[in-house]
Amino acid sequence: MDNNEHEHVIEVTDLRRVYGGGFEAVRGISFHVDRGEVFALLGTNGAGKTSTVEVLEGLARPASGRVRVLGHDPYEERSAVRPWTGVMLQEGGFPSELTVAETARMWAGCVSRARPPEEALELVGLERRADVRVKQLSGGERRRLDLALAVLGRPEVLFLDEPTTGLDAEGRHDTWELVRALRDGGTTVLLTTHYLEEAEDLADRLAIMREGRIAATGTPAEVTAAQPSRISFRLPDGYFLGDLPPLGELGVTGHEVDGRVVRLRTRELQRAATGLLVWAERAGIELRNLDVRSASLEEAFLGIAREKEKEEVAA
Ligand SMILES: Nc1ncnc2c1ncn2[C@@H]1O[C@H](COP(=O)(O)OP(=O)(O)OP(=O)(O)O)[C@@H](O)[C@H]1O
């Protein structure tokens, strides 16, 4: 199979997934992931991320819609897709009596084009734990083992469901480095995560799901651009809000005053910050505790979650 012919390594069109009792967990979503991209699927608990990823992994059939991985239907043509994909589920569930090295060797026997098991363990920093039984590993070490097994077959497409949950800060950064290295080597990665800084740092593009639908999608910068930036500072004694230049002219769309602390919201950060600083400079004022910040992905995420709450209150 010439896998290079499919630029969209993953294609999802109007995907719906309905569970046995009739509950519609995924309600018509579309997105694509190109070769060598890291794509993050974000969302609140129960938003439908795992339900979506399971369909892409070929573990479940869609109720309707079309899914293609490397140009194939991952459920109907599992044997054409499976050898090229690596999967890290939320729960690995490997036999706990085997050692780490035995587990890796056993798994290497099940995949085509396997790396040497020692190399996979080294990639995730488990080489010194090779002789430890799986049941004796810590939660974070088990996640590392799950990741080692997912990359053992040199996959072209890697599915990572919450890969860094339970890892300490160092483990998380190690995992990010590994994902970046795999991406740079041409691997396409689809990951779900609850850590917004992980998506901000790693993802080329992302989608935020809410109640089975995609509420926002784009690069991290595009998704955060929809949220206002913030400027805060301390007004010097003797000055009042009315002494500032007219806020509308600075491109400020909202403000709060808390004692002497002023917080401004704007979608034109450079214009607002420049106007404010020029005013302060001319007036010979020092704006103490000045903080100028673009919106973070976390703010965009919370904004989307709050839109939903507002809709519910209004209904
Ligand atoms: N086997 C099932 N039968 C019925 N409903 C299910 C089943 N599995 C999941 N659901 C429901 O589908 C919805 C989406 O679940 P899913 O696990 O895909 O969400 P998620 O975004 O991955 O959540 P989390 O971040 O908590 O892992 C939830 O409301 C969940 O209760």
Side-chain angles (χ1 to χ4, degrees):
M1 175 166 75
D2 179 5
N3 291 320
N4 284 319
E5 63 193 59
H6 308 288
E7 248 344 87
H8 289 346
V9 170
I10 298 172
E11 277 185 271
V12 176
T13 313
D14 293 331
L15 171 66
R16 285 173 61 249
R17 182 159 180 205
V18 180
Y19 285 108
F23 177 70
E24 197 178 357
V26 182
R27 302 176 181 199
I29 65 168
S30 301
F31 63 91
H32 63 87
V33 187
D34 290 338
R35 180 168 302 281
E37 264 192 323
V38 177
F39 189 91
L41 216 44
L42 309 176
T44 46
N45 286 134
K49 303 178 295 294
T50 300
S51 301
T52 301
V53 176
E54 283 175 357
V55 175
L56 298 177
E57 291 165 348
L59 299 175
R61 196 200 290 262
S64 66
R66 186 183 134 103
V67 170
R68 291 290 178 273
V69 175
L70 294 166
H72 295 274
D73 179 326
Y75 189 86
E76 300 294 342
E77 301 170 281
R78 197 172 153 76
S79 58
V81 181
R82 193 64 194 91
W84 306 96
T85 56
V87 172
M88 180 178 177
L89 300 172
Q90 275 187 31
E91 297 288 336
F94 297 105
S96 61
E97 292 299 332
L98 296 184
T99 67
V100 168
E102 285 165 349
T103 306
R105 278 201 292 275
M106 181 189 76
W107 195 243
C110 303
V111 297
S112 41
R113 303 175 305 127
R115 300 173 194 272
E118 308 73 42
E119 180 186 312
L121 295 180
E122 209 176 314
L123 281 175
V124 301
L126 271 186
E127 66 277 19
R128 281 202 226 107
R129 306 289 281 159
D131 297 325
V132 173
R133 285 184 202 281
V134 171
K135 68 178 179 189
Q136 290 166 335
L137 295 179
S138 72
E141 287 171 336
R142 277 189 202 214
R143 285 316 270 157
R144 287 171 188 247
L145 178 58
D146 291 340
L147 181 58
L149 301 184
V151 301
L152 198 55
R154 305 176 203 270
E156 289 206 1
V157 188
L158 187 57
F159 294 105
L160 304 175
D161 203 355
E162 298 188 21
T164 61
T165 297
L167 293 192
D168 58 26
E170 194 190 358
R172 191 166 295 161
H173 282 92
D174 290 348
T175 301
W176 295 357
E177 259 175 44
L178 175 57
V179 170
R180 273 191 218 106
L182 292 166
R183 188 255 321 265
D184 293 346
T187 308
T188 306
V189 182
L190 186 137
L191 70 99
T192 72
T193 182
H194 283 293
Y195 300 114
L196 298 170
E197 78 277 17
E198 178 163 303
E200 203 156 25
D201 211 88
L202 267 190
D204 298 299
R205 291 187 302 119
L206 57 91
I208 301 180
M209 288 186 74
R210 187 182 64 199
E211 297 196 339
R213 295 194 172 87
I214 291 180
T217 186
T219 63
E222 284 165 353
V223 171
T224 52
Q227 298 295 316
S229 304
R230 287 162 199 279
I231 302 175
S232 63
F233 55 92
R234 218 180 149 73
L235 261 180
D237 290 340
Y239 281 86
F240 299 93
L241 196 64
D243 296 325
L244 295 177
L247 295 180
E249 284 176 19
L250 295 183
V252 170
T253 52
H255 70 270
E256 290 154 28
V257 182
D258 180 4
R260 303 218 56 80
V261 175
V262 178
R263 293 189 195 92
L264 308 178
R265 285 188 298 282
T266 178
R267 291 181 195 277
E268 298 170 86
L269 186 56
Q270 184 172 339
R271 181 172 153 210
T274 307
L276 186 69
L277 290 173
V278 166
W279 169 80
E281 187 68 23
R282 287 197 182 135
I285 292 170
E286 185 196 356
L287 293 177
R288 286 196 297 140
N289 298 357
L290 177 66
D291 186 21
V292 177
R293 246 188 311 164
S294 301
S296 65
L297 189 58
E298 180 158 351
E299 281 160 334
F301 185 91
L302 292 173
I304 286 165
R306 285 189 192 123
E307 268 168 40
K308 177 66 200 161
E309 283 163 20
K310 272 192 231 151
E311 281 165 24
E312 281 171 357
V313 171

